[in-house]
Amino acid sequence: MEELTERLVGAMSRKRTIDPNLQGPGHDLYMKAAAAYMAEMMQNPSKLIEHQVSYWGKALKHFVEVQETLAKGKLQAPPDNTPPDPRFSNPLWQTHPYFNFIKQQYLMSAEAIANAVKDVEGLNPRDAQRLEYFTQQIVDLFSPANFLGTNPEALERAVETDGQSLVDGLENLVRDIEANNGQMLVTLADKDAFKVGENLGTTPGKVVYRNRMMELIQYAPSTETVHATPLIIFPPWINKFYILDLNPKKSLIKWIVDQGYTVFVVSWINPDPSYAEIGMCDYVQDGYMTAIAEAKRICGEDKVNVVGYCIAGTTLSLALSLMQKHDDKSVRSATFFTTLTDFSDQGEVGVFLDNDFVDGIEREVTQNGYLDSFFMSRTFSYLRSNDLIYRPAIRNYMMGERPPAFDLLYWNGDSTNLPAKMVVEYLRGLCQEDRFASDGFEICGEVVRISDVKVPVCAIACETDHIAAWHASYEGVRKMGSTSKTFILSQSGHIAGIVNPPDKKKYGHYTNDAPMKDLSADDWRAGTEFHEGSWWPRWDDWLKKRSGKQVPARVPGADGTTILCDAPGTYVTGARPL
């Protein structure tokens, strides 16, 4: 214990300095909320009284029920009609009078706070959304499940193990703080259970091109013939590409190869401070344009099909608009996975896109040359804090368990840095000012607009996506200039809705063949037809109609291109350009 304590103190002493605006909303939001609350209290005191009477009435009624049960000599909880909650799944939360009392009182308080915040008037919708979100974060933080003294499962484990679970939990805590420069970032998956290239990202292929921005991987064919038009996948550079190649049963890359396509995938560099001046134009020119040119050269074709996922889909739309300006017809069709191109509705992630946060990010990247992966990882975790912060923290620190060997969570923790210039351009010009969907976004010396995307488009959005809300994704596609648009809405979220193999039969999807031009997102949704199972086969049907005739399968290097190394390449494991 003494050694662990010394390690903890040492790790905390090395704690990185973080801009205050990156640790919570600016004080302006709280000042606005306080002013609105005080004004309403003066003008409409009856509303405050109603809130207070409702809360105290429920709380005191529950307290009396508990006392009456105990007075009868019954060591049991009173009736509990609270809805099911994963945080309180242990039976003792339901049956033990102490833990049940704490749970019910917490849920009553949480409901009262949520109602009070929701009823605050005098705030614009944006501030109201942020106030509700950050208030809920505080409420979730104070769940009794998050504290050792009020978590029955953790206390049971401590008794069963004679306290060893608490020692193991402290070891896990110290290890995480040491690994993150004094900050607490919960490890989600067993880091020793996976290695990229051995049990992650194993679909056979070769790196056929490399520059300062990316490695281009060409995958080995698994069929005797393939469609003539090659397919290039541009994954997001916020994380690493092997989310599309976790293992053979989950791999979208392998599945596409097995359908008879020549598949290329871009693996992006993980930037360091030397990439400070790399902007969106560099990603377009040295990433998109170069990959397209290389795939055309290797395959001897004059056109390719392209896929962009998340931020890589947003940037793909910029590249397509730029190509339209230059009369470059190299792209036959484009597919977008969970992509925002119209940021007028920023969805849940919008709470982090006001000036208080973005100003803090801009100062951070100006000072360091890049945005450390820590910030993006933590931000996305707080969009699902109960699942990605508190529950793992309980398991690791209070129960003393090792993180699970879960490939998706391992990938989630294997995040990347972002170049300073690119971060500011993306957050200011696209997210905040929505220039691409309005008066135009300047890139590579041209002003491009969403209406410049003219190629046939297929877009897949996800119903419960907390990063790229499907309504906003739909609106962006609707505004594109293409005359051929297909929109598919998958069940589930940002990752699970995309990585959805057909043989799992897990999540279905919705389609609507009506023209998107005159339909709002809700109108489109109202007219959809639901289909069981994955959208992958439906997309394959769409893609093969735009992929040309069958030709002999292309083996990487057979055209004379120099093979640089085997897939998954070197950039995905942290190598630097030679």
Side-chain angles (χ1 to χ4, degrees), residues 221-502:
S222 61
T223 55
E224 292 185 1
T225 62
V226 295
H227 290 281
T229 305
L231 177 70
I232 310 174
I233 300 176
F234 296 96
W237 52 87
I238 290 174
N239 289 97
K240 297 182 179 179
F241 82 89
Y242 64 86
I243 183 59
L244 301 175
D245 192 26
L246 286 175
N247 63 50
K249 292 184 178 180
K250 297 179 182 177
S251 175
L252 176 59
I253 291 172
K254 180 181 183 302
W255 187 87
I256 299 171
V257 169
D258 290 344
Q259 308 315 303
Y261 294 92
T262 301
V263 178
F264 294 85
V265 173
V266 166
S267 175
W268 301 102
I269 189 72
N270 187 4
D272 61 18
S274 69
Y275 282 71
E277 292 303 314
I278 294 296
M280 298 292 289
C281 182
D282 297 285
Y283 276 91
V284 168
Q285 289 185 329
D286 294 340
Y288 291 78
M289 299 305 190
T290 300
I292 290 170
E294 286 299 310
K296 287 166 56 179
R297 179 188 64 78
I298 290 170
C299 296
E301 296 289 328
D302 60 359
K303 289 183 181 293
V304 299
N305 290 315
V306 291
V307 177
Y309 190 175
C310 190
I311 187 175
T314 306
T315 312
L316 173 60
S317 67
L318 299 177
L320 292 171
S321 299
L322 189 64
M323 294 171 76
Q324 175 67 24
K325 290 275 188 179
H326 295 165
D327 198 30
D328 183 341
K329 302 185 184 303
S330 297
V331 172
R332 190 181 299 276
S333 74
T335 299
F336 297 97
F337 296 166
T338 62
T339 293
L340 292 181
T341 49
D342 181 331
F343 289 85
S344 56
D345 176 7
Q346 298 165 344
E348 292 180 55
V349 78
V351 298
F352 295 106
L353 293 176
D354 269 36
N355 278 334
D356 47 12
F357 274 98
V358 176
D359 288 348
I361 289 173
E362 188 165 2
R363 285 192 293 269
E364 176 76 18
V365 299
T366 300
Q367 177 180 339
N368 297 317
Y370 68 100
L371 184 66
D372 192 283
S373 61
F374 167 82
F375 294 102
M376 294 302 296
S377 179
R378 191 174 68 167
T379 298
F380 287 138
S381 291
Y382 271 110
L383 293 175
R384 293 174 55 202
S385 56
N386 285 323
D387 293 331
L388 295 178
I389 298 177
Y390 303 127
R391 192 171 298 142
I394 292 168
R395 180 193 61 226
N396 294 7
Y397 308 148
M398 285 161 50
M399 305 292 289
E401 298 176 2
R402 285 181 62 84
F406 188 6
D407 52 10
L408 179 59
L409 291 180
Y410 177 89
W411 167 85
N412 189 75
D414 190 16
S415 51
T416 58
N417 306 324
L418 301 175
K421 183 178 179 181
M422 171 260 142
V423 167
V424 175
E425 288 178 338
Y426 180 76
L427 292 178
R428 295 293 191 195
L430 292 171
C431 295
Q432 285 193 321
E433 298 170 11
D434 196 23
R435 292 181 199 161
F436 186 52
S438 54
D439 56 350
F441 182 80
E442 185 173 348
I443 188 167
C444 301
E446 297 278 4
V447 175
V448 297
R449 295 174 177 81
I450 197 170
S451 58
D452 295 326
V453 179
K454 305 283 190 180
V455 301
V457 166
C458 179
I460 295 90
C462 297
E463 194 172 23
T464 58
D465 194 331
H466 58 287
I467 295 173
W470 81 263
H471 284 81
S473 180
Y474 175 93
E475 187 61 23
V477 175
R478 193 179 71 82
K479 290 181 178 180
M480 290 179 179
S482 171
T483 57
S484 175
K485 304 174 189 176
T486 297
F487 193 83
I488 299 171
L489 180 62
S490 174
Q491 291 182 314
S492 195
H494 194 73
I495 301 300
I498 298 299
V499 183
N500 182 24

Side-chain angles (χ1 to χ4, degrees), residues 122-185:
L123 295 176
N124 64 49
R126 176 76 167 200
D127 286 336
Q129 178 197 18
R130 301 186 80 217
L131 180 62
E132 288 181 25
Y133 172 82
F134 289 110
T135 299
Q136 189 60 50
Q137 290 297 317
I138 296 171
V139 170
D140 289 343
L141 169 65
F142 282 101
S143 164
N146 296 341
F147 299 89
L148 178 63
T150 51
N151 186 312
E153 192 170 8
L155 293 173
E156 275 189 317
R157 178 67 60 85
V159 172
E160 291 170 357
T161 62
D162 291 329
Q164 185 61 44
S165 62
L166 300 181
V167 176
D168 293 342
L170 181 59
E171 172 68 40
N172 291 338
L173 173 63
V174 171
R175 188 184 303 115
D176 282 350
I177 291 176
E178 286 177 333
N180 293 286
N181 297 317
Q183 295 289 334
M184 193 182 79
L185 191 64

Side-chain angles (χ1 to χ4, degrees), residues 4 8 11 13 46 66 108 131 135 140 190 207 211 225 232 248 283 377 445 548 562 567:
L4 282 176
L8 180 60
S13 69
S46 62
V66 171
M108 289 177 197
L131 180 62
T135 299
D140 289 343
D190 185 351
V207 174
N211 63 18
T225 62
I232 310 174
Y283 276 91
S377 179
T562 300

Side-chain angles (χ1 to χ4, degrees), residues 62 66 69 75-104 107 150-153 156:
H62 177 234
V66 171
T69 302
L75 190 62
Q76 64 185 44
D80 183 354
N81 297 317
T82 56
D85 189 320
R87 296 174 295 178
F88 307 116
S89 59
N90 188 286
L92 287 174
W93 288 112
Q94 194 75 16
T95 61
H96 193 285
Y98 170 68
F99 295 113
N100 182 265
F101 178 77
I102 291 172
K103 182 196 79 169
Q104 291 206 50
L107 291 175
T150 51
N151 186 312
E153 192 170 8
E156 275 189 317

